[in-house]
Amino acid sequence: MQFLKGPIRKKIIFIVILATLPVLAALLMHELRQREEDISVAKQKVRTFLHGFSEVQRTTTSSTRALLQTIAAMPEIKNKDPEKSTVILKTLLKANPIFTNVFLLNLDGTVVALGKGKDKGFNFSDRKQFKDALSSGEFAAGEFIIGRQTKITAFPFGVPVFNDDGKPTGVIIVGTNLNHYKELFNNSDLLPGAFFGLCDRQGTRLLRIPTSKKIPIGRPIKAEVFNAARNADGPGMLEALTSDRLIHIVAFEPVRMASNKAPYMYMFMGLHKDLVVADANAEMIKGGILGVLSLCIALTVTWFLGYSAIVSGIEKLTKATTLFGRGDDVISGVDYSDGEIGQLGQAFDNMAGLLHKREKEVRSLQSYLSNIVDSMPSNIIGVTPDGIVTQWNAKAEVDFGLSKKDVLGKKIEQVVPYLAGEMKKVRTAIDSRSVQAETKHVRRVNDKTVYEDITVYPLIADGVQGAVIRIDDITNRVNLEQALVQTEKMMSLGGLAAGMAHEINNPLAGILGSAYNVSKRLFSDMDSNRRTAQECGIELEQVHEYLEKRKIPKMIEIIKESGERAANIVSNMLSFSRKSGKRMEKVDIASLIDKTLELAANDYDLKKLYDFKQINVVREYEDNLPLVMCESNELQQVFLNLFRNGAEAMNEKSYTDGKPSFWCRILRQHGLVVIEIEDNGPGMDEHIQSRIFEPFFTTKEVGKGTGLGLSVSYFIITEQHNGKMFVESVAGVGTKFIIEMPVEGEA
C-alpha cells in the first residue's frame, strides 16, 4: 500500500477514483442490460405482431373454408349449371374482394364456370389444391401461384363438390389476395427497417413488405430462415442474415389447417438488429463519455481545490450510490452549481432517473402480461412449492368468488380446499420438470356435478420454483358425450324392444303356462286326475307308465327349460335397454360377452337381414380371469356394437370355404384384461382403419347408419374406463378389435 502514502490530494484523487468507478461500472452494466432488454422487448413485440397476423390468416382460411363449403352445397353448383354457377361465382367475388378469382372445375380440371374473365381453355388438374381436395375429400391449401386469368400473385384453396350420393363431381378453387397484409403492416408501430414475409410450404416467397426488386416474389426465401421455421414444432425466433443482406431478429410461425396437419404456409417478421439496439448503443456511448468526463472533472477539482472542497461532495455521492444500490429512488443531494462535483452529482441523478424510467417500463410490461393472464377463459392459479398462492387471475376471482388481494400469500388449501390434493402433482411437476394432468376431476357444486380438467405446469427459471395450476370446466362437454352414448344405445335397442314386445312376451307366456298345466294334469297325483282317468277306463299309473316310456316328461321339461331360457333373454334385453345409472362394479367379462352374444342372436333388426345364430362363435377364455371394475351396461353396448357391425359385414361376403365366424378371446397381460373380438368378414383397407373411430364416419348407405357406434364405443373404453381400443384388419381376410381394460389395483 506504499502508493497511498503522500499528499492528501493524492489520497483524495485515489478515493475519488475508487468512488467513481463503481458508478461508471453500474452505468455500463445498466446500459448493457438495457441493450439486452431492448432486444428482448423487440422480440416480444415482433412475436406478438406476427401472432396477430397469423390469427388473421387463420380467420381468413376458416372463413374461406366455410364459404366454399356453403357454395359447394348449392344445387346449381352441385349440378354444374354453367350459367347459374357463373352468377353465383361473380356474386361471391363481388362480396369478397379478398378473392382474386374463383373457378368451378370438372373432375378432369377443365373449367365449368368462373367469377372473373372468360374461359381460355385452362386446365387446373395439375394444381396442388385441386389434387388434394379430390384425394382428401376436404378443404385443401395450394402453393404459390400467379393467376392465369388475373395475373395477380395469390394463394389458392380448393374444396370438393359432391353430388347427392356423396360422390365427388368437381372442385371449387379460389385465389386469395395477400396484399391486405400491407395495410396491417403499415398500421403497426414497428421500428423502421422491419419487414413481414410469407412463404408456402416449399419455401417459395408469397409476399414481402416492404417490397423490393432485389427480393422478388416467387423465389425461394433464405434457406437458413426457412429451415429454422420448417424444423420447429411451432413459433420461434432466430437472428439471421436475410435476403436484404442485413442481420435481422426474425420471428416465424407456421400456419396449419389443423393442429395435426402439416403447415401450408409460414409467416416471418423481422427487425433490423442494428436499429433495435441503436438507442441502447448510443446511450452506452453517451454514458461512457459522460462517466469518463465526470471522472476527469472530479480529478481536476480534487487536484485544484483540495481536501476540504471535495470530501463533502464525495460523501454525498457515496451515500447516494449506496442507497441506489439498495434499490431506493434517490437523488445525490449535491448542489449542481458546485462546479465539477455538482456536474458529477447531476450525471448521477440523470442516470438514476433513467433507471427509474426503465423500471416503470418493466412494471408496465408486467401489467400487460398480467392482463393477458386475466383474459384467459381458464382458472389460472400460481403457487410456490409450499402451496403459497402467487397468481390468481380474473376467471378464478369469478368462479371461486375470491378477489386476488384476499388469496395472495395464503395456502392453496385455505383458499380452495379441494385443490389441497393437487400439491402432490405440483411437487412432482417441479421435480420432474414435466406437465401433470388430471382429466375429468369430479366435484359437487350447488348440488350439481362439475367435471374439470386440472393441469399443472412447472415453473423453473432463474432460481425461482413454482407451478401454474390451470382448471378448465368441461361439464358441458362430458354431458354431451354421455348424451351421445345414451342416444346410440337407444338407437340400437329400438328394433330389439319392438321384437321383444310383439314376438316374445305373449307367446312365451302361453308356452310356459301351457307347459306347466300339462305337467300338472299328467303327472300330479290329484284327485281330479285319477277321477278323469277312471272315467276313461284306465288307471293313472298306467298313463304315467305310458308317458314315461314315450319320454313325454323329458320333452315337457325341455319345453319349460327352453321357455325359461327365453325369459332370461328377455330379462337381459330389458336390463340392457334401461338407461345406465353410471354405477361402476366388478364384472366377469366372459359372462358379459356371453350375455351380449345372446342379445345379438335375438336382435330384431339383425334377424330381418340374416340369422345371427348361423354365425359360428369360438370362445377362447383364459382360466381364473380377474373381475374388471366397469359400468356393465356401457361395456355391453360396446360388445353389441362390435358384434352387430361384424355380423353385418360378414353378411356382405360370399364364403366358398368355411362359414361366418367370430373368435372371442379374453386373456390377462401385465395387469390388463385383453379382449379380442375377431371376424372373418371382408376386412378394411388402411384408409377406413385410420378413420374408423371418427364420429359420423360410416361406410354404410345413407339412412342405414349414424357413424356414431364405434366412436361412442371408443369413447366409453378410453374415457369412461381408462382403457385402450385398437383395430387390426386385412382387406378380404377379416377384422380384429382389441380392448385393453385395467384390473383394479394392478394397472
Side-chain angles (χ1 to χ4, degrees):
M1 303 293 286
Q2 293 293 325
F3 62 90
L4 288 178
K5 295 180 179 180
I8 187 65
R9 287 185 295 181
K10 178 181 177 181
K11 296 179 181 179
I12 294 175
I13 289 173
F14 182 73
I15 293 172
V16 169
I17 293 174
L18 290 180
T20 306
L21 285 179
V23 177
L24 295 177
L27 180 61
L28 178 61
M29 291 302 296
H30 167 71
E31 296 300 340
L32 288 174
R33 287 196 298 270
Q34 184 59 44
R35 186 177 187 272
E36 294 302 319
E37 183 179 331
D38 286 351
I39 293 175
S40 177
V41 170
K43 287 182 177 180
Q44 178 62 34
K45 190 172 185 179
V46 74
R47 187 184 294 115
T48 301
F49 272 104
L50 182 62
H51 184 68
F53 280 38
S54 69
E55 286 301 316
V56 170
Q57 179 61 32
R58 292 186 184 93
T59 301
T60 300
T61 302
S62 178
S63 300
T64 302
R65 181 205 305 265
L67 192 55
L68 292 188
Q69 289 175 342
T70 301
I71 295 297
M74 297 178 70
E76 296 86 352
I77 298 295
K78 294 169 70 174
N79 295 331
K80 293 194 292 188
D81 185 316
E83 293 183 0
K84 294 181 179 180
S85 296
T86 298
V87 173
I88 292 172
L89 298 185
K90 286 185 176 180
T91 303
L92 174 65
L93 279 185
K94 184 177 180 181
N96 297 273
I98 194 174
F99 296 153
T100 59
N101 207 347
V102 60
F103 297 85
L104 174 62
L105 308 176
N106 289 310
L107 290 177
D108 60 0
T110 57
V111 177
V112 176
L114 68 165
K116 182 186 295 185
K118 297 181 179 180
D119 181 16
K120 297 182 179 180
F122 293 137
N123 189 292
F124 293 84
S125 61
D126 61 335
R127 293 301 174 92
K128 179 179 182 297
Q129 66 273 17
F130 178 86
K131 294 187 289 186
D132 288 357
L134 284 180
S135 63
S136 66
E138 298 176 347
F139 181 74
E143 298 172 336
F144 168 81
I145 63 168
I146 297 177
R148 294 178 174 177
Q149 286 280 354
T150 63
K151 306 302 181 183
I152 296 174
T153 301
F155 189 84
F157 296 96
V159 68
V161 178
F162 297 97
N163 61 18
D164 293 336
D165 295 329
K167 296 181 179 180
T169 61
V171 176
I172 298 176
I173 65 172
V174 66
T176 57
N177 194 333
L178 303 176
N179 287 329
H180 64 283
Y181 284 109
K182 291 182 180 179
E183 182 177 355
L184 288 176
F185 182 81
N186 292 333
N187 290 334
S188 64
D189 60 348
L190 293 170
L191 290 172
F195 78 88
F196 170 73
L198 297 174
C199 75
D200 63 14
R201 65 187 185 92
Q202 295 180 335
T204 302
R205 183 178 293 107
L206 303 173
L207 177 70
R208 193 186 193 276
I209 308 172
T211 58
S212 172
K213 293 182 179 179
K214 296 181 180 180
I215 309 175
I217 303 301
R219 299 292 299 277
I221 68 171
K222 274 287 186 178
E224 177 186 0
V225 177
F226 177 66
N227 289 335
R230 181 176 58 183
N231 296 331
D233 295 331
M237 301 285 299
L238 79 158
E239 292 185 13
L241 182 68
T242 57
S243 299
D244 55 5
R245 301 181 182 277
L246 297 174
I247 297 294
H248 280 80
I249 298 171
V250 181
F252 58 82
E253 183 167 343
V255 183
R256 310 171 189 268
M257 291 286 191
S259 59
N260 61 343
K261 300 285 187 179
Y264 69 88
M265 179 186 291
Y266 296 89
M267 289 189 169
F268 304 89
M269 187 173 288
L271 296 176
H272 187 188
K273 184 176 180 181
D274 289 344
L275 295 179
V276 170
V277 299
D279 290 343
N281 288 342
E283 287 295 325
M284 187 184 305
I285 295 172
K286 179 181 176 182
I289 294 173
L290 185 59
V292 172
L293 180 60
S294 299
L295 178 59
C296 292
I297 293 172
L299 293 176
T300 302
V301 171
T302 300
W303 182 259
F304 288 102
L305 298 182
Y307 177 81
S308 60
I310 296 175
V311 170
S312 176
I314 293 297
E315 288 179 343
K316 291 180 180 180
L317 286 173
T318 302
K319 182 179 179 181
T321 303
T322 302
L323 294 175
F324 178 77
R326 293 208 304 259
D328 295 344
D329 186 10
V330 298
I331 59 175
S332 65
V334 174
D335 184 1
Y336 294 163
S337 63
D338 189 15
E340 291 82 2
I341 292 295
Q343 293 177 16
L344 184 60
Q346 186 175 12
F348 176 86
D349 292 342
N350 289 339
M351 179 193 70
L354 180 61
L355 289 177
H356 183 64
K357 178 182 178 182
R358 298 303 186 191
E359 289 174 353
K360 286 185 177 180
E361 293 175 351
V362 171
R363 287 194 292 270
S364 176
L365 178 59
Q366 291 174 338
S367 176
Y368 174 73
L369 294 176
S370 179
N371 288 337
I372 292 177
V373 173
D374 284 342
S375 68
M376 295 185 67
S378 306
N379 294 320
I380 304 296
I381 304 172
V383 294
T384 66
D386 297 325
I388 302 299
V389 178
T390 59
Q391 180 61 258
W392 187 264
N393 75 338
K395 186 68 165 56
E397 289 184 333
V398 173
D399 288 355
F400 296 108
L402 298 171
S403 65
K404 182 182 294 187
K405 66 179 182 179
D406 293 332
V407 301
L408 292 183
K410 294 183 179 180
K411 287 276 191 178
I412 188 67
E413 53 264 32
Q414 296 175 325
V415 178
V416 188
Y418 84 93
L419 289 180
E422 302 303 314
M423 284 309 301
K424 182 177 179 181
K425 292 187 180 67
V426 170
R427 286 185 283 270
T428 301
I430 294 173
D431 293 341
S432 64
R433 301 192 177 190
S434 61
V435 176
Q436 303 294 309
E438 177 184 357
T439 59
K440 294 187 180 177
H441 178 275
V442 182
R443 64 186 181 100
R444 298 286 293 177
V445 179
N446 298 328
D447 295 329
K448 294 182 179 179
T449 301
V450 175
Y451 297 88
E452 297 172 331
D453 283 348
I454 301 177
T455 309
V456 181
Y457 301 92
L459 296 177
I460 304 175
D462 297 329
V464 177
Q465 290 190 337
V468 174
I469 302 174
R470 172 181 169 182
I471 305 172
D472 294 293
D473 188 341
I474 59 168
T475 305
N476 291 337
R477 191 191 80 192
V478 172
N479 290 340
L480 177 60
E481 291 168 346
Q482 292 179 351
L484 285 174
V485 171
Q486 188 62 27
T487 299
E488 178 65 18
K489 176 190 287 188
M490 296 311 298
M491 290 177 63
S492 300
L493 290 172
L496 191 68
M500 176 192 70
H502 296 288
E503 297 184 14
I504 299 179
N505 278 348
N506 292 335
L508 181 61
I511 292 171
L512 285 175
S514 298
Y516 280 110
N517 283 331
V518 168
S519 178
K520 182 178 179 180
R521 294 188 182 190
L522 289 178
F523 303 108
S524 174
D525 193 16
M526 297 170 52
D527 292 340
S528 58
N529 289 348
R530 288 187 177 276
R531 186 169 52 254
T532 302
Q534 291 174 356
E535 291 175 356
C536 295
I538 58 176
E539 294 295 328
L540 186 61
E541 287 75 9
Q542 293 176 327
V543 174
H544 290 170
E545 182 179 0
Y546 170 78
L547 295 175
E548 289 288 347
K549 289 183 178 181
R550 297 299 296 164
K551 299 182 180 180
I552 300 302
K554 183 176 181 181
M555 295 179 183
I556 294 176
E557 283 301 315
I558 291 174
I559 293 174
K560 291 194 291 182
E561 289 176 1
S562 299
E564 289 171 355
R565 181 171 177 269
N568 288 333
I569 293 174
V570 172
S571 177
N572 286 340
M573 293 161 64
L574 286 172
S575 174
F576 179 66
S577 66
R578 296 188 184 100
K579 185 174 181 180
S580 171
K582 303 299 290 182
R583 183 169 63 88
M584 303 293 281
E585 58 185 354
K586 292 185 177 181
V587 173
D588 181 356
I589 297 298
S591 175
L592 191 62
I593 289 180
D594 290 342
K595 288 182 178 180
T596 308
L597 285 168
E598 292 181 8
L599 286 174
N602 291 274
D603 191 302
Y604 183 72
D605 283 343
L606 293 178
K607 281 187 173 182
K608 288 193 297 185
L609 299 176
Y610 46 85
D611 189 357
F612 188 91
K613 294 179 181 179
Q614 297 302 314
I615 299 175
N616 181 43
V617 179
V618 180
R619 295 171 173 84
E620 299 176 4
Y621 304 159
E622 279 192 3
D623 296 331
N624 301 319
L625 288 168
L627 301 179
V628 174
M629 182 65 71
C630 66
E631 209 294 316
S632 58
N633 284 347
E634 289 187 350
L635 209 59
Q636 195 171 25
Q637 179 186 350
V638 173
F639 296 149
L640 185 58
N641 280 337
L642 296 180
F643 288 133
R644 284 173 63 96
N645 289 345
E648 291 173 2
M650 288 189 285
N651 186 55
E652 299 175 358
K653 179 178 178 179
S654 299
Y655 293 85
T656 57
D657 184 16
K659 61 183 294 186
S661 299
F662 278 119
W663 286 267
C664 302
R665 305 181 185 93
I666 310 176
L667 57 151
R668 184 173 182 173
Q669 290 181 353
H670 309 299
L672 300 171
V673 169
V674 180
I675 305 152
E676 296 181 356
I677 298 178
E678 182 177 358
D679 63 59
N680 60 347
M684 298 177 284
D685 58 30
E686 292 184 0
H687 173 68
I688 295 178
Q689 289 185 59
S690 66
R691 302 187 61 194
I692 195 67
F693 296 122
E694 291 183 12
F696 307 109
F697 175 76
T698 179
T699 58
K700 301 176 184 177
E701 298 178 6
V702 176
K704 292 189 177 182
T706 64
L708 287 174
L710 286 176
S711 65
V712 170
S713 299
Y714 184 84
F715 170 80
I716 290 173
I717 296 300
T718 60
E719 296 294 327
Q720 303 287 11
H721 293 84
N722 295 322
K724 296 180 179 179
M725 188 171 182
F726 315 94
V727 63
E728 296 177 358
S729 183
V730 178
V733 177
T735 301
K736 177 165 66 175
F737 286 91
I738 304 168
I739 299 172
E740 296 180 354
M741 299 287 291
V743 178
E744 185 180 26
E746 298 185 23

